[in-house]
Each structure stands twice: as structure tokens, then as C-alpha cells.
Amino acid sequence: MALDGANFQNQCLKIRRPKDYIPPKGGEPPVPPLQLSGVISTVVADTPYKIYVGGLPTTLQDEQIIELLQTFGPLRSFSLVKDSVTGMSRGFAFCEYADMNVTDIACQGLNGMELGDRRIVVQRASIGARQHGQPQFKPSVPAPTISMAPSAIPPGLSTASSEPTPILQLLNMVTPQELRDDDEYQ
């Protein structure tokens, strides 16, 4: 199962269990990620070390992007996202390095690099991953405060000493100019 998605002779391996497979009692032991020298999986797992590479020229092929990324070390996995109809690159990819310590170094070294007529964006892809050295999102509008009657707060939850925390952060919202334009609503 660890070879699922690995490239072998320019083909993506698909490893599946038989339909009549019965797992052993007590479940299966977790399979550690397999890293064979020179083998790059096409399945990039959702881990804190998953990297998003965006703003890529759509003319670049997998091999060219892999060559660029491997300047920081060998890759464990790489996937260039392609249009399902045309097979052309959609301009972004995901990868993970074999050495997890390289993740932040590669992000810093590659982010903002000019590639063709574009600047690429390279950052951690995992939701909630901390980006070291990069500013966190700061909302430009303060979050509204909600007043609750003390009886509405469940017992055991004290709000007297705790700091307010953001409940929801909305990104890519409309601007005030868009709200004033009636054509935007149709």
C-alpha cells in the first residue's frame, strides 16, 4: 500500500486491496511512509509538511518543476494539478520533501521567485499550519463582540479572565465599493 501513487517507468502505480479483503482483528498497524531513493509519489498526503506551489507558468512540465524543487533536497511526493479535460497544467502544484526539515527553508527560498513572467507563491498547504517568519492574517475590521447574559454561559466556562478569540475568519470577502455597485447583485 505504501507504493500507491509512486512513479514506476513513467507510470503512476495504483495499489489497491482485493474487494474480498478482510482486515485482521484489531485493525492494521499504521504503514510508515515509504521513501525509496529516486521514487517520487504522485499522491501528496495532507500533512503539516505539504507545500503549495502556485503561480506556475502553465507551459512548465512536471519534470521542470521537480528539478526546481529538488534544489532544496529530494522530494517524497509531487503532484502538478492539471485540467481534467485538456491535461494542461492549471498553474499550481503540491509537494512534500523527504527531509521534513527542508520545508520552511524551501518555502523561504522559492517564494516570490520569478519564473518566466510570473512570481511563484510557495507556502505550507496544510490548514492551520504556522508559517514561520511570515505574518499571520490580521483582520482589517475588528470582530464584533457578543454580549451574553451570565445565565446563558454553561457552568465551568469562565469568561472573566479569558481573552476573546476569533470564532470565524472570512477571507476573500467583498469590498465596500462592490457593495455600492448594484450590478454586482445581478
Side-chain angles (χ1 to χ4, degrees), residues 20-132:
D20 59 348
Y21 175 76
I22 300 171
K25 290 183 180 179
E28 295 184 36
V31 178
L34 182 63
Q35 181 61 38
L36 300 174
S37 179
V39 176
I40 300 173
S41 173
T42 57
V43 178
V44 184
D46 286 331
T47 69
Y49 303 103
K50 182 177 183 179
I51 297 175
Y52 164 80
V53 183
L56 295 167
T58 56
T59 56
L60 290 180
Q61 300 296 315
D62 296 50
E63 297 80 19
Q64 295 167 312
I65 301 167
I66 288 172
E67 183 179 348
L68 172 68
L69 294 170
Q70 285 185 332
T71 57
F72 289 90
L75 293 173
R76 176 185 312 276
S77 55
F78 173 81
S79 177
L80 178 62
V81 179
K82 297 181 180 180
D83 185 271
S84 60
V85 176
T86 64
M88 295 289 297
S89 166
R90 293 186 54 201
F92 64 97
F94 296 95
C95 71
E96 184 178 356
Y97 283 93
D99 179 4
M100 295 165 195
N101 296 321
V102 173
T103 303
D104 290 327
I105 297 167
C107 288
Q108 288 175 349
L110 294 170
N111 191 35
M113 175 186 280
E114 259 188 60
L115 201 55
D117 59 343
R118 297 178 166 191
R119 287 196 181 272
I120 62 173
V121 175
V122 181
Q123 61 190 15
R124 286 183 184 239
S126 297
I127 295 173
R130 298 265 182 230
Q131 297 177 4
H132 303 291

